[in-house]
Amino acid sequence: MWQELRAELHPQGVEVVTVALDTGGADAAGRFIDAAAPEHPSLIDAEHRLDELLGISNVPMGVWIDEEGVLVRPPEIAHPGKSMLREMMRGQKIPEDLPPYVLEMLAETTKIRVRPERYAEALRDWAARGADSPYALAPDEVVERSRPRPPALSEAAAHFALGQHLHRAGDVEGARAHFREAHRLDPDNWTYRRQAWSFEDPLQGPTEHYDSDWLTDVKRSGAENYYPLPDL
């Protein structure tokens, strides 16, 4: 999806860098990058550093960085002119013999709001007009729109980092305890939750190790709130 928009905007000086957030590293995310065969830089953030440094809390999210290395838009939901989910579901009849949990997940995802065309239009405007684009924010606006970082969120980041370390070291139960604490301290961070759930079940379904799962939490918060629409 990003490759198409990158091919359009790259002649204007825009570079797209995609980053997969996955503690499993190349073993987990590499095959998806290989399958996409991107022409732009495609990285893997195995330590979730973007969560910690920029406030990424779900995927896909994007930030805009100008030619001076200055952040001109903080993290926000970012679709590249198309919604992958919408493209997958368009004209497709969902097989009725899928497991009930999967059918319920697919039904819930159809309620998620996205406006990918609007985001792509804003990005095109920035590519054409640079700092004169109304979508390129001043530093004080970037700070104002950035996700606040109270002590609880910093503690959550520390617990999540410890959980990742222990999981890599083979202490799965110890990792779960820290992941659960990260979820409690930062309940709006979907990347923390999805990463922990994925270690237990690729579909992020219910398990005995966590008191929540993707479908339950999406229903609880409302599918329409899963992707807050960018302020454009």
Side-chain angles (χ1 to χ4, degrees):
M1 293 293 184
W2 282 106
Q3 180 64 30
E4 183 178 335
L5 189 60
R6 188 264 187 182
E8 174 191 338
L9 299 181
H10 194 253
Q12 296 175 261
V14 174
E15 183 58 282
V16 169
V17 179
T18 53
V19 184
L21 298 173
D22 201 313
T23 304
D27 290 343
R31 57 194 174 98
F32 298 105
I33 296 175
D34 291 341
E39 296 177 9
H40 57 271
S42 296
L43 312 178
I44 299 173
D45 181 0
E47 296 184 355
H48 287 251
R49 290 285 286 163
L50 291 184
D51 303 26
E52 180 181 341
L53 296 175
L54 293 177
I56 300 294
S57 59
N58 203 347
V59 292
M61 295 187 83
V63 299
W64 295 6
I65 302 173
D66 69 12
E67 59 272 26
E68 302 298 327
V70 176
L71 198 70
V72 296
R73 288 195 75 86
E76 60 194 343
I77 296 300
H79 289 91
K82 296 180 181 178
S83 164
M84 185 175 295
L85 176 63
R86 185 185 296 173
E87 294 295 312
M88 290 173 57
M89 301 292 286
R90 181 173 291 166
Q92 298 292 323
K93 183 178 180 181
I94 300 176
E96 296 180 357
D97 59 348
L98 290 174
Y101 181 80
V102 175
L103 288 172
E104 199 170 356
M105 281 184 69
L106 290 173
E108 203 64 25
T109 56
T110 62
K111 305 174 187 176
I112 294 175
R113 299 179 304 167
V114 291
R115 293 179 184 169
E117 298 83 4
R118 187 73 185 91
Y119 187 83
E121 289 170 4
L123 193 53
R124 290 186 181 101
D125 187 89
W126 182 49
R129 302 171 63 187
D132 292 330
S133 170
Y135 305 110
L137 305 176
D140 58 335
E141 292 179 278
V142 171
V143 172
E144 184 178 347
R145 293 192 185 197
S146 295
R147 192 172 187 233
R149 196 59 176 266
L153 267 60
S154 296
E155 290 180 41
H159 279 288
F160 187 75
L162 284 169
Q164 291 184 94
H165 172 74
L166 291 172
H167 194 277
R168 292 192 189 98
D171 184 357
V172 175
E173 191 54 46
R176 288 171 181 149
H178 285 287
F179 287 148
R180 285 192 289 265
E181 189 63 6
H183 300 173
R184 184 187 70 82
L185 291 165
D186 191 358
D188 295 328
N189 193 315
W190 284 96
T191 63
Y192 288 174
R193 284 182 280 175
R194 291 174 61 180
Q195 182 67 79
W197 296 334
S198 295
F199 283 139
E200 311 296 341
D201 174 12
L203 294 177
Q204 301 171 35
T207 70
E208 62 185 275
H209 305 295
Y210 297 98
D211 60 4
S212 62
D213 59 89
W214 187 87
L215 182 57
T216 299
D217 278 8
V218 168
K219 284 185 171 182
R220 181 183 296 133
S221 60
E224 68 279 3
N225 300 315
Y226 185 67
Y227 284 147
L229 296 176
D231 183 3
L232 297 169

